[in-house]
């Protein structure tokens, strides 16, 4: 079996490395660097997938796109019954919702903020709406974190892996004070030996 | 069994009505209207879900969030073996990817365009990047449409339902000429009697 992660520095693909380390699966990393000026992914990624995005996971030559699909597949194939709730349970439905929420909802205001920040002052009219949406989504994540410190049930699942990225962004934006549960969640993720191994292998990842 | 769609006019929830009509399931629509000035969802939706978004599907009192989760659940529970590829097949993996692609990737440049359009000329520096991303995502959708006119396999699946929304936007933006397969896909969706029933029940839906 051959597993390759097409990995972009400072990107959402860092969490795929974390999950692979948790699962104890052998894999290879192909590193891609963002353009120093534009911060965009390099054109080499387009040779792997027409959209030129990361992460992309290659299992025995089949390239899998979309973080949500990659995390789901890894948990199903290599989780040995862990990392996913029991099929048919209400937790499984909750897991499905949050797997879609992570990219389909939580990332939207984050990307809006990232893009419009390049406009500087000119984006001021949009800032209240974006700030309100960021607060709503981060606040929702804070609210739904369970007493166990996980997003679904009482153990780690793929949803925690998916939501670790927007959670890290909330903390990086200095919101740890108003989001204590989310901040503790990020600290717990970063305390995992698997996360630390992935961090070492992944290369540049913000200031974490 | 009680099924309620919390439905916002001119929104992604129109496709949930389409799917329910295809599946022949009884359901009730609760209508919500966008604010005439801000175009935002009304605060009443927050009583159903803290993020105040649509669509939300309520089955026997359990509110399900995220279009991708809603469509997946409806296909699983009421599809009678249709609307989803056979479990474990490569088409099932492709379906999983595209269920995430629809909101996790295709909608991102669409939402960026929608938001930054409110800035008028001030957003000009972002326009080339947004236009390039729209072209890339719509072009990818055009490229992967299969000879059968579907996104996965040779029959309708949940992925077609999910992708119908960004496909409609591509056509509404006047790109039908350069995206003939995507344009034919939208025409085929709109020719479905189930889509037409849903269109009638849903209320305002752009100029379609």
């Amino acid at each position: 079996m051959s597993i390759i992660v097409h990995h972009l520095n400072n990107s959402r693909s860092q969490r795929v490395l974390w999950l692979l380390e948790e699962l104890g699966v052998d894999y290879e990393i192909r590193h891609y660097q963002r353009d120093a000026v534009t911060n965009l992914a390099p054109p080499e990624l387009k040779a792997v997938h027409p959209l030129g995005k990361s992460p992309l996971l290659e299992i025995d030559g089949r390239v899998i796109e979309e973080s949500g699909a990659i995390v789901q597949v890894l948990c199903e194939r290599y989780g040995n019954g862990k990392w996913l709730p029991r099929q048919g349970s209400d937790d499984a439905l909750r897991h499905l919702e949050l797997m879609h929420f992570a990219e389909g909802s939580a990332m939207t205001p984050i990307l809006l903020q990232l893009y419009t920040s390049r406009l500087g002052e000119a984006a001021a009219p949009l800032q209240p709406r974006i700030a309100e949406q960021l607060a709503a989504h981060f606040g929702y994540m804070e609210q739904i974190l369970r007493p166990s410190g996980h997003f679904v049930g009482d153990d780690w699942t793929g949803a925690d892996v998916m939501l670790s990225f927007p959670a890290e962004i909330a903390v990086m934006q200095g919101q740890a004070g108003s989001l204590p549960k989310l901040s503790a969640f990020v600290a717990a993720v970063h305390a995992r030996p698997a996360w630390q191994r992935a961090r070492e292998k992944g290369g540049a990842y913000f200031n974490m």
Side-chain angles (χ1 to χ4, degrees), chain A:
Chain A
M1 185 186 64
S2 143
I3 297 187
I4 301 164
V5 184
H6 296 275
H7 175 71
L8 183 67
N9 64 302
N10 285 333
S11 88
R12 285 171 259 197
S13 70
Q14 184 64 41
R15 65 191 161 185
V16 174
L17 305 185
W18 170 35
L19 180 57
L20 283 160
E21 291 290 336
E22 293 281 3
L23 299 174
V25 179
D26 281 335
Y27 64 97
E28 175 193 337
I29 303 178
R30 300 261 168 91
H31 290 274
Y32 300 81
Q33 300 298 321
R34 291 181 186 273
D35 184 286
V37 175
T38 64
N39 207 34
L40 300 179
E44 293 78 40
L45 265 170
K46 291 205 175 135
V48 188
H49 185 284
L51 289 176
K53 293 205 266 198
S54 168
L56 293 164
L57 186 78
E58 198 172 328
I59 303 187
D60 294 334
R62 164 73 156 91
V63 174
I64 305 176
E65 69 194 62
E66 294 295 323
S67 296
I70 289 168
V71 168
Q72 182 74 27
V73 163
L74 286 175
C75 292
E76 283 176 7
R77 296 196 186 172
Y78 309 109
N80 289 316
K82 297 181 70 176
W83 292 92
L84 289 175
R86 188 173 48 77
Q87 275 199 347
S89 63
D90 192 67
D91 275 353
L93 174 55
R94 189 68 185 126
H95 192 266
L96 176 67
E97 291 177 289
L98 292 182
M99 290 296 282
H100 283 281
F101 168 82
E103 291 289 311
S105 284
M107 285 306 294
T108 300
I110 291 170
L111 292 169
L112 281 167
Q113 184 185 43
L114 178 71
Y115 271 75
T116 57
S117 70
R118 297 178 198 162
L119 297 175
E121 276 303 306
L126 281 183
Q127 292 315 322
R129 172 70 180 151
I130 293 174
E132 182 251 313
Q133 285 292 298
L134 283 169
H137 285 82
F138 291 149
Y140 180 60
M141 288 166 65
E142 174 80 6
Q143 179 195 325
I144 63 177
L145 261 170
R146 295 172 50 79
S148 70
H150 305 98
F151 279 100
V152 181
D154 296 331
D155 208 345
W156 298 96
T157 65
D160 296 310
V161 177
M162 287 298 290
L163 287 165
S164 67
F165 189 75
E168 285 172 331
I169 290 174
V171 171
M172 278 193 286
Q173 293 190 349
Q175 301 191 41
S178 59
L179 301 167
K181 291 198 290 176
L182 206 56
S183 170
F185 168 79
V186 171
V189 169
H190 292 182
R192 309 269 306 168
W195 190 87
Q196 291 165 16
R197 288 195 301 272
R199 175 66 193 77
E200 208 159 293
K201 293 181 184 175
Y205 188 56
F206 306 107
N207 56 355
M208 286 171 167

